[in-house]
Amino acid sequence: MVNHSSPVGFLLLGFSEHPRLEKILFVVVLCSYLLPLLGNTIIPLLSTLDPRLVSPMYFFLSNLSFRGLCFTTTCVPQMLVNRWGPTKTISFLGCSVQLFIFMLLGTTECILLTVMAFDRYVAVCQPLHYATIIHPRLCWQLAAVAWAIGLAQSIVQTPPTLRLPFCSHRQIDDFLCEVPSLIRLSCGDTTYNEIQMAVASVFIVVVPLSLILVSYGAITRAVLKINSAKGRRKAFGTCSSHLIVVTLFYSSVIAVYLQPKNPYAQERSKFFGLFYAVGTPTLNPLVYTLRNKEVKRAFWRLLGKDGDSVQT
């Protein structure tokens, strides 16, 4: 049966067939809710208050943290409610808002990570011209482009997805209202939506990832030309945190959006979708704080201690 009108809501199944796992996931998601709130608030705060962190890299990192903070406060609370109680429902309006925000923030992060790769490329390959090329005005322009592309992608893809003729059981086999899950819920022809998602995946996932790989290819060649081992370690150290975040983010995105159609892949994508939703916003600030001496020193200075004398 097909519901051609706007449904009153949906059922987000998650792992409802495994009640014990749902309780464990509640604790995991709760921790993954509180930690990103703290971490993604501290990084923009430090880059604003500490003049030593006023640089393009920390400006883009603050944008990335703001994205994580927005995602955590808008999407994760619904997951907590659904994991704890027997009711797994979400209203049609709630699903629409969740889908729109999910698309906006996910696309924005893809572009921001590409911009940050370009920033690292200039810093390593053209250090003498870094301040001239990556100037404050360009930073604002690049960040604005990233958010604008995210907004445009969400505006383009969200309405056609919500206009699909959904099956009357309204059961979404996922934790969130995502495009692939809503397409699977449809009982009508989804050819247009699948083509749209495939094209979007190429421009939003494949192209940015390719640019990042090209940037790091150039960075690797430049670093290998450095004679001293200490210089090579320092150069790689400036990129390691970003490279870890790129790996975590794109591995989960590819598993969710560029997977074959079969039941095994669907079950696997739920795990990767959950990691994408709660894992990456949690790990991003940890990676950038635990691996970055300047951020740790700025944190201690914020607490009133001498950051330069603290063991890092």
Side-chain angles (χ1 to χ4, degrees):
M1 294 181 64
V2 180
N3 183 4
H4 291 281
S5 61
S6 295
V8 294
F10 299 98
L11 294 173
L12 292 168
L13 297 180
F15 290 116
S16 55
E17 69 275 17
H18 304 292
R20 291 185 178 179
L21 180 58
E22 288 276 282
K23 300 304 180 185
I24 295 174
L25 287 177
F26 173 82
V27 177
V28 173
V29 174
L30 179 61
C31 294
S32 299
Y33 175 64
L34 299 176
L35 288 176
L37 281 179
L38 179 62
N40 287 315
T41 301
I42 288 177
I43 291 177
L45 184 65
L46 291 177
S47 63
T48 302
L49 298 179
D50 196 312
R52 303 187 193 187
L53 298 185
V54 179
S55 69
M57 183 179 73
Y58 294 109
F59 172 78
F60 295 128
L61 181 56
S62 295
N63 274 268
L64 193 64
S65 296
F66 179 70
R67 175 264 173 203
L69 192 61
C70 290
F71 189 91
T72 301
T73 54
T74 55
C75 296
V76 176
Q78 180 70 47
M79 296 178 65
L80 285 172
V81 172
N82 290 348
R83 299 289 71 74
W84 180 255
T87 303
K88 311 294 183 184
T89 59
I90 184 173
S91 67
F92 181 77
L93 177 60
C95 184
S96 303
V97 172
Q98 193 176 83
L99 177 64
F100 185 88
I101 293 175
F102 197 84
M103 292 295 300
L104 165 64
L105 298 178
T107 303
T108 301
E109 181 160 4
C110 287
I111 308 303
L112 280 175
L113 290 175
T114 308
V115 170
M116 293 173 75
F118 171 68
D119 172 73
R120 293 298 84 201
Y121 162 77
V122 177
V124 174
C125 299
Q126 301 185 46
L128 299 179
H129 302 285
Y130 180 77
T132 304
I133 298 174
I134 311 295
H135 51 81
R137 183 180 176 184
L138 180 63
C139 292
W140 281 98
Q141 290 172 340
L142 291 174
V145 167
W147 286 96
I149 292 176
L151 180 61
Q153 167 66 7
S154 191
I155 291 174
V156 168
Q157 196 155 5
T158 299
T161 304
L162 295 173
R163 285 198 297 265
L164 285 169
F166 297 113
C167 298
S168 57
H169 61 75
R170 302 178 292 113
Q171 295 180 355
I172 300 176
D173 192 17
D174 211 329
F175 295 93
L176 294 167
C177 292
E178 295 185 75
V179 172
S181 303
L182 290 171
I183 289 178
R184 286 192 295 268
L185 180 62
S186 175
C187 291
D189 183 15
T190 61
T191 303
Y192 170 78
N193 300 83
E194 291 180 13
I195 293 175
Q196 187 185 49
M197 185 175 71
V199 172
S201 297
V202 170
F203 284 100
I204 303 301
V205 179
V206 178
V207 172
L209 180 58
S210 300
L211 293 175
I212 291 173
L213 293 177
V214 169
S215 298
Y216 274 103
I219 290 172
T220 301
R221 288 194 299 271
V223 170
L224 292 178
K225 293 179 181 179
I226 300 175
N227 294 325
S228 68
K230 183 178 180 181
R232 288 194 295 269
R233 285 195 301 269
K234 183 178 180 181
F236 275 126
T238 63
C239 305
S240 59
S241 296
H242 176 257
L243 195 56
I244 292 172
V245 170
V246 167
T247 303
L248 293 173
F249 177 77
Y250 275 99
S251 59
S252 57
V253 168
I254 290 172
V256 173
Y257 287 93
L258 300 176
Q259 61 166 336
K261 284 187 174 181
N262 59 70
Y264 172 73
Q266 164 58 16
E267 286 299 311
R268 183 179 59 187
S269 73
K270 282 200 289 186
F271 279 104
F272 281 103
L274 181 64
F275 178 78
Y276 169 69
V278 300
T280 53
T282 303
L283 294 176
N284 285 358
L286 291 178
V287 170
Y288 274 106
T289 53
L290 295 179
R291 296 183 59 85
N292 192 307
K293 293 182 179 181
E294 285 300 321
V295 172
K296 288 188 285 186
R297 288 168 180 164
F299 177 72
W300 289 115
R301 285 194 294 268
L302 183 65
L303 296 180
K305 299 181 179 181
D306 184 2
D308 295 326
S309 64
V310 175
Q311 186 72 28
T312 57

